[in-house]
Structure formats: structure tokens, C-alpha cells
Amino acid sequence: MAEEFTVTPWEVTGDIDYDLLQQRFGTTPIDDALLARLSGYGELHPMLRRGIFYSHRDMGALLDDYDKGKRFWLYTGRGPSGRTHLGHLMPWIFNKWVQDTFGADMLFQMTDDEKFLFKDLTLHDTASFAYENALDFAALGFDPEKTRILVDTKNVNLLYPIALKVSKKVTFSTAKAVFGFDNSTNIGQIFFTTMQAAPAFLPTEINGEETPVLIPCGIDQDPHFRVCRDVAPGLGYPKPRMMYCKMFPGLSGADKMSSSDENATIYTTDTPKQVKKKVGRAFTGGKVSVEEQRREGGNPEVCAVFKYCFYMFEGDDRRIEEMAARCRAGEVLCGECKQCLTEKINAFLEKHQARREEAREVVGQMAMNGFEW
Ligand code: TRP
């Protein structure tokens, strides 16, 4: 029997069955035909080849428009509720690939309002996390000419008129059905989905004509965008196109890396020593003794160390297959893999942390309408 799992924009728990989730949400698999079509625009990102970005809405229509010369905008976002960890970077890295491949303008929304409303945080807290998170976003090398960061409380003048239009089309009964709200929900939370919908329609407002938007993000955000897509035609906006990824796993073997488990979470500002310690404690698919592992082999399927390589830290498909095969054959022990992953993460973070410092200049340029951070 399948285990229970929950995936909402605010809670991800249990053993996620991604096929079942896709079925429940009504999204479409990114199948071989779509991958073949996408490969016509540039070499496929490993996250596509490996089924990490695995589900979509209306990608066919997006590419049809693109082929006719109609450029789309990218939109994704971050709720600034804490420091940035590796799991947050994953979809952003993918967005960067889309920007480079299709030359897209990009909006990055920081929903400080959301985190204020849903968590025990002050607006002061969310403002400082927003700045810290923006540094990580900008450090990934988005084109500063083509990329704008929106912070909800700072860009409310742009977003509020659109959010109002959306809110007039969404009943309380819909919000309850989609998000599970009840009478104890504060009224800001009920309104919030309209703010996350707004950037999907902003490019059309900016350009003064229907402009397609693609939103690559974690599949946990789909409830927002179902509502957003439903109201779009009635407001004269194109429905946003979606590409969804799986959740980045935790080092503990959990399906999603989460800040609630500090020791199983690698932050972008971690030191090499912290990384070594955390990876050292990671959940693996190893056996109880060296002898047994040499004899019977390990299980990469459940191994967090292997998953990290698969999701983000080993882009070479041959090397990934080799890693799994050698593990199953008992040729490598967990200590070696942990050492290897530690080196890869530390090499990545060393560069990232340097770019993150440089990004202090760039985030000013990226601030939508030049707001003060
Ligand atoms: N709600 C998202 C979060 O909590 C942040 C967000 C805002 C977002 N707009 C988005 C995520 C668009 C993906 C796509 O992290």
C-alpha cells in the first residue's frame, strides 16, 4: 500500500509518489516527445534528462508561440522565511538555463508578505531574509539587464492592482477547497494567492499586449497556479505555462530538504567544515558492515549522497550510472562517496560564496523600479 504524503505550498511531508501527485494535480508528464522538442533549442539540462523537472502545463503552446517569434517571460520566486539552502537553488539554476537558452526576461518574486502571514516572523525578519536570499539568486548569474526582483511589500504599487482583479474572481469557497483554509485562517492568508498570481500577469501589463509567461518551480506551488490559470482568461491575460520539479531531498533521507532539520540542510553560507560534518552524517544506502556491503552491495536508490549527485552535483550521465553500478556491486563504500560529495559541494560553495559577495552590487540593479533594499 502506498504511504500517505502531503504536498501543499506550505507543507511537504511523507514519502512523495510523484506520479500520483501529478495525477492529483492534473499536470502533464514531460515525456520523450516534449524532451525531443526541447532539445531542438539547446542541449537539455540534466534536470530535464533525469526527470527532475518532470511535469508541466501547456509547454506545447509555449513553444508554438515561441516558434512564431513570440517571446515569453520567465517568472519564479522565493518566500523569504530563512537562509537559502541548496534545495532553493535547484529550480533557480534551471530558470537560469531557460533564460540563457531562450533569451527570456525574468521576474523573481519575493513574497515577504506570505512569510509574514504564514510564519512567526516580523516584517523586519522577512526583509532581511529577502535581501540574503536575493544575493543567492543573483549569484547564479542571471542577466542583470533582463532580470528584475520584486519584493511584495516594496512593489505593491505594481502588484496590487492585478491582485485586486484576481481577488474579485476567486471566491472564499474556492480558496477553502484549494488550500484547505477554515474559519481560523487569518484573512491575509486568504488573499495571498492573488499576490503570487500577479507577476504572472505583469509582463502583459508592462508590454501592453498579451505576453506568455513560463513559471518553472517546485510542484508544491501548483495550487496557486491552478487558481491563477483559472482566472486568467476572464481577465484578458494568457494562462501561465508551467514546468514543475520534484523536491530537493534532505540529507536525512527525507523527500524534501527542510530548514526544520538543520543538520540535514546545507546552507549556501556553510563553511567547508560544516558541509563535511553534515554530509558525514547523511543517510545512505549502505549496509551495516563493510563485509556485508562488499558482498551484497549498497542501494543508491535510497541514498541521500547519491541523490545529491543525481539532482545537482554530477552533471555527467555516464558518471552517475557508474556511481550507481559500483555501489550496487559493493565496489565503493559510503565513506568514499561522502568524501567525494563533500568535495563537490565545497567546490560549488566556494565559487557561489564569492559570487554572492559580488551580487551585492547586482541586486541593486535588479530591484524592480529601483526600490531600496
Ligand atoms: N510561495 C513561494 C514560496 O513559499 C514563493 C513564490 C512566489 C514562488 N512566487 C513564486 C515560487 C513563483 C515559485 C514560483 O517559496
Side-chain angles (χ1 to χ4, degrees):
M1 201 184 78
E3 268 184 62
E4 275 308 304
F5 63 92
T6 308
V7 176
T8 74
W10 302 290
E11 188 192 12
V12 178
T13 54
D15 209 349
I16 307 168
D17 179 335
Y18 282 105
D19 290 331
L20 186 57
L21 186 60
Q22 173 170 251
Q23 234 171 295
R24 279 188 198 164
F25 283 176
T27 59
T28 308
I30 296 179
D31 60 9
D32 289 343
L34 179 53
L35 289 178
R37 184 168 182 193
L38 282 167
S39 69
Y41 302 90
E43 197 196 329
L44 287 183
H45 194 278
M47 291 179 200
L48 281 169
R49 294 200 305 266
R50 296 180 187 175
I52 296 166
F53 267 85
Y54 83 113
S55 199
H56 76 102
R57 293 182 185 272
D58 285 344
M59 278 305 288
L62 183 95
L63 295 175
D64 290 346
D65 279 341
Y66 186 83
D67 290 346
K68 286 184 213 134
K70 205 163 189 183
R71 290 287 176 265
F72 63 87
W73 283 48
L74 274 165
Y75 158 40
T76 200
R78 157 80 180 144
S81 57
R83 289 181 290 152
T84 315
H85 61 59
L86 295 178
H88 302 129
L89 297 186
M90 189 178 75
W92 305 350
I93 289 171
F94 184 74
N95 273 273
K96 160 86 165 86
W97 176 82
V98 181
Q99 178 172 72
D100 292 346
T101 304
F102 293 90
D105 286 305
M106 157 123 215
L107 291 174
F108 188 70
Q109 178 185 38
M110 310 205 75
T111 50
D112 56 342
D113 50 351
E114 174 188 17
K115 297 303 158 180
F116 172 74
L117 290 166
F118 283 85
K119 301 229 168 197
D120 188 15
L121 294 171
T122 65
L123 285 171
H124 181 79
D125 298 332
T126 55
S128 74
F129 287 136
Y131 179 71
E132 292 299 314
N133 296 164
L135 294 179
D136 288 297
F137 171 77
L140 298 176
F142 290 92
D143 181 345
E145 301 292 329
K146 288 176 170 287
T147 306
R148 287 295 169 269
I149 301 173
L150 296 151
V151 174
D152 284 359
T153 59
K154 306 220 183 206
N155 295 110
V156 64
N157 54 335
L158 277 178
L159 299 174
Y160 193 54
I162 305 174
L164 274 180
K165 291 186 210 171
V166 173
S167 71
K168 208 168 175 177
K169 299 273 185 200
V170 183
T171 64
F172 183 33
S173 139
T174 297
K176 279 197 282 195
V178 175
F179 300 106
F181 295 150
D182 60 31
N183 281 345
S184 71
T185 305
N186 74 54
I187 60 176
Q189 293 178 338
I190 298 162
F191 181 77
F192 169 72
T193 192
T194 67
M195 291 297 285
Q196 185 151 331
F201 303 145
L202 190 55
T204 292
E205 294 288 342
I206 290 174
N207 289 340
E209 61 173 10
E210 279 201 18
T211 306
V213 168
L214 171 63
I215 312 177
C217 64
I219 190 159
D220 60 324
Q221 298 298 311
D222 184 63
H224 287 300
F225 295 116
R226 274 194 316 259
V227 174
C228 173
R229 284 168 48 89
D230 282 349
V231 302
L235 296 172
Y237 298 121
K239 289 185 183 192
R241 309 345 189 163
M242 310 300 306
M243 281 180 114
Y244 289 131
C245 64
K246 299 175 180 171
M247 302 293 115
F248 190 73
L251 278 172
S252 61
D255 268 351
K256 182 183 180 239
M257 182 173 263
S258 160
S259 300
S260 52
D261 190 355
E262 288 260 338
N263 290 323
T265 301
I266 294 175
Y267 296 97
T268 56
T269 49
D270 278 353
T271 62
K273 236 170 115 183
Q274 285 172 310
V275 171
K276 183 166 193 248
K277 195 160 152 199
K278 290 176 185 180
V279 174
R281 289 181 186 153
F283 179 81
T284 70
K287 293 283 155 56
V288 287
S289 71
V290 173
E291 294 73 38
E292 198 178 324
Q293 187 154 343
R294 290 281 182 219
R295 203 171 54 236
E296 295 173 17
N299 180 7
E301 242 101 281
V302 300
C303 176
V305 176
F306 179 76
K307 285 186 197 170
Y308 272 56
C309 294
F310 184 82
Y311 272 72
M312 227 167 116
F313 291 99
E314 179 50 73
D316 184 329
D317 292 344
R318 263 208 354 257
R319 294 249 277 280
I320 274 288
E321 273 167 37
E322 205 178 281
M323 203 180 154
R326 293 188 64 217
C327 171
R328 288 196 192 97
E331 285 169 27
V332 278
L333 297 177
C334 299
E336 279 175 66
C337 286
K338 284 178 174 173
Q339 163 100 27
C340 170
L341 178 64
T342 302
E343 282 164 18
K344 283 178 197 283
I345 294 178
N346 281 335
F348 170 84
L349 285 184
E350 192 185 317
K351 270 201 218 125
H352 182 81
Q353 287 165 6
R355 292 194 190 127
R356 194 176 183 280
E357 286 310 306
E358 291 160 21
R360 290 181 196 276
E361 306 293 321
V362 185
V363 289
Q365 196 184 337
M366 286 183 180
M368 184 66 151
N369 286 353
F371 68 77
E372 289 289 321
W373 281 100

